Amino acid sequence: MTLEPDSARRVYEGRLIGLTVELWGDHEREIVEHPGAVAIVAVDGDGFLTLVRQLREPARKLLLELPAGTAEPGEAPLETARRELQEECGLTGGRWRELAAFWTTPGFCRERMHLFAAERVVAGEASPAADEELELVRWPVAGTADRLHEIEDAKTLAGLLLYLGTRPGRTGLH
Amino acid sequence: MTLEPDSARRVYEGRLIGLTVELWGDHEREIVEHPGAVAIVAVDGDGFLTLVRQLREPARKLLLELPAGTAEPGEAPLETARRELQEECGLTGGRWRELAAFWTTPGFCRERMHLFAAERVVAGEASPAADEELELVRWPVAGTADRLHEIEDAKTLAGLLLYLGTRPGRTGLH
């Protein structure tokens, strides 16, 4: 089995994403190009999780999500994650570990996401980008499993479930 | 807060996806148009889960995922899910429930996904599409929590974790 396309042509070049049409044998594949992303389950020393609520234009509504962001060129995933958590939420420090890495929508998009947990993060001053209007929302970790129906974002569901299943002292999945 | 863009222009129209650039106040948003999708946690009467392994061209590798597919025009999510499970895996019947509905990548894409559990499904003949080469993989549900590190797909992680946390007799999340 070949793991490279026979040919590829870029049909759109945008600011965040691009679009490539690849030919694999008989089949064309439309592929969204994306630089990669991170999301963070950030918990402070009092056992509170920080989520962000923001307008998601494609959904035409406000969604409640893990802090997340897109990789800058040359940035390692953990760097992106620490930068985004500070910029979006003003949270710094903490003990970090990677929970998972995955493709978000591997049928049609090149976005790979790294998901981190950061525990004992410390509150400070946020500095969101000019086009980000974020509301920070704090949830006690202890009540999170009962509120997952409020989440309508794939990475946030996966991240919270992974975190709840792997944290120390969990009553978790095994 | 307005929940409609000031303007929108379609910049690419593909077979599965399209691309729209929307203007929201000062900010442009590049949005991938997608008809919506489903994924299914399908478990047979012997306690085996069915996964599919297939080449995912954007990832340049084989990935192990829940059976999934894209909505046809006018199709309700449960219809799509039953059709895809039969086509991809030859599985029919079963008791169905919706586990969750979410946006897969709400920062840049309109794809909304419905995630179902189907229990006591019955094996039959699959009829995959011409451009789908699928290997069916069966896992005992009982061992799934220990094998999540083999999964590199967001919907599959979210779906398996939700299923493990909500099935009858679970040792689950609460």
Side-chain angles (χ1 to χ4, degrees):
Chain A
M1 176 180 284
T2 173
L3 295 177
E4 293 293 330
D6 301 317
S7 67
R9 61 192 165 90
R10 185 64 59 97
V11 295
Y12 182 79
E13 192 71 67
R15 286 195 303 182
L16 172 66
I17 57 181
L19 201 57
T20 303
V21 175
E22 294 183 348
L23 189 65
W24 293 73
D26 292 342
H27 307 300
E28 269 192 2
R29 289 287 182 254
E30 300 161 351
I31 297 176
V32 177
E33 303 288 352
H34 188 286
V38 300
I40 309 109
V41 180
V43 178
D44 66 22
D46 298 324
F48 280 83
L49 178 71
T50 294
L51 300 169
V52 298
R53 184 179 279 126
Q54 63 187 312
L55 174 62
R56 287 306 205 172
E57 291 85 356
R60 301 272 192 271
K61 64 186 288 193
L62 297 167
L63 293 181
L64 192 58
E65 301 176 41
L66 293 178
T70 303
E72 302 282 357
E75 212 176 30
L78 182 57
E79 284 178 82
T80 307
R82 285 184 177 274
R83 177 179 57 71
E84 289 284 350
L85 191 63
Q86 193 280 318
E87 288 176 5
E88 287 196 346
C89 307
L91 297 172
T92 58
R95 294 179 309 197
W96 288 69
R97 62 194 157 93
E98 187 168 287
L99 289 174
F102 48 77
W103 277 270
T104 53
T105 49
F108 65 90
C109 179
R110 203 100 68 192
E111 184 185 27
R112 190 167 164 83
M113 176 169 279
H114 291 259
L115 191 59
F116 294 95
E119 293 177 304
R120 300 191 169 276
V121 292
V122 176
E125 200 65 39
S127 52
D131 64 346
E132 287 182 319
E133 275 190 53
L134 299 172
E135 178 198 354
L136 301 186
V137 175
R138 296 174 81 224
W139 278 9
V141 170
T144 297
D146 294 325
R147 300 184 67 173
L148 292 177
H149 59 275
E150 299 179 40
I151 302 298
E152 291 188 276
D153 168 58
K155 67 177 176 298
T156 304
L157 268 178
L160 292 178
L161 287 160
L162 277 170
Y163 180 71
L164 293 174
T166 61
R167 79 201 142 120
R170 69 194 167 78
T171 54
L173 288 173
H174 294 266
Chain B
M1 177 182 284
T2 173
L3 295 177
E4 293 293 329
D6 301 318
S7 67
R9 61 194 166 90
R10 186 64 59 96
V11 295
Y12 182 79
E13 192 70 65
R15 285 195 303 181
L16 172 66
I17 57 181
L19 201 56
T20 303
V21 176
E22 295 183 348
L23 188 65
W24 293 73
D26 292 343
H27 308 300
E28 268 192 3
R29 291 285 182 253
E30 298 160 352
I31 297 176
V32 177
E33 303 288 350
H34 189 287
V38 299
I40 308 109
V41 180
V43 178
D44 65 21
D46 298 325
F48 280 81
L49 179 70
T50 293
L51 299 170
V52 298
R53 184 179 279 125
Q54 64 188 312
L55 173 62
R56 286 305 205 173
E57 291 85 357
R60 301 272 193 270
K61 64 185 290 193
L62 298 167
L63 293 181
L64 192 58
E65 302 175 42
L66 293 178
T70 303
E72 303 282 356
E75 212 175 29
L78 181 59
E79 283 179 83
T80 307
R82 286 184 177 273
R83 176 179 55 74
E84 289 284 350
L85 191 63
Q86 193 280 320
E87 287 175 7
E88 287 196 348
C89 306
L91 297 172
T92 57
R95 293 180 308 195
W96 288 70
R97 62 192 156 95
E98 186 168 290
L99 289 173
F102 48 78
W103 278 268
T104 54
T105 49
F108 65 90
C109 179
R110 202 101 64 192
E111 184 186 27
R112 189 167 167 84
M113 176 169 279
H114 291 258
L115 191 59
F116 294 94
E119 292 176 304
R120 301 190 168 274
V121 292
V122 176
E125 200 65 38
S127 52
D131 64 346
E132 288 183 320
E133 275 190 53
L134 299 173
E135 178 198 355
L136 301 187
V137 175
R138 295 175 82 223
W139 279 9
V141 170
T144 297
D146 295 324
R147 301 183 67 174
L148 293 177
H149 59 277
E150 297 179 42
I151 303 298
E152 292 188 275
D153 168 57
K155 68 178 171 299
T156 304
L157 268 177
L160 292 179
L161 287 161
L162 277 170
Y163 180 71
L164 293 173
T166 61
R167 77 199 143 122
R170 69 194 167 78
T171 54
L173 286 173
H174 293 266

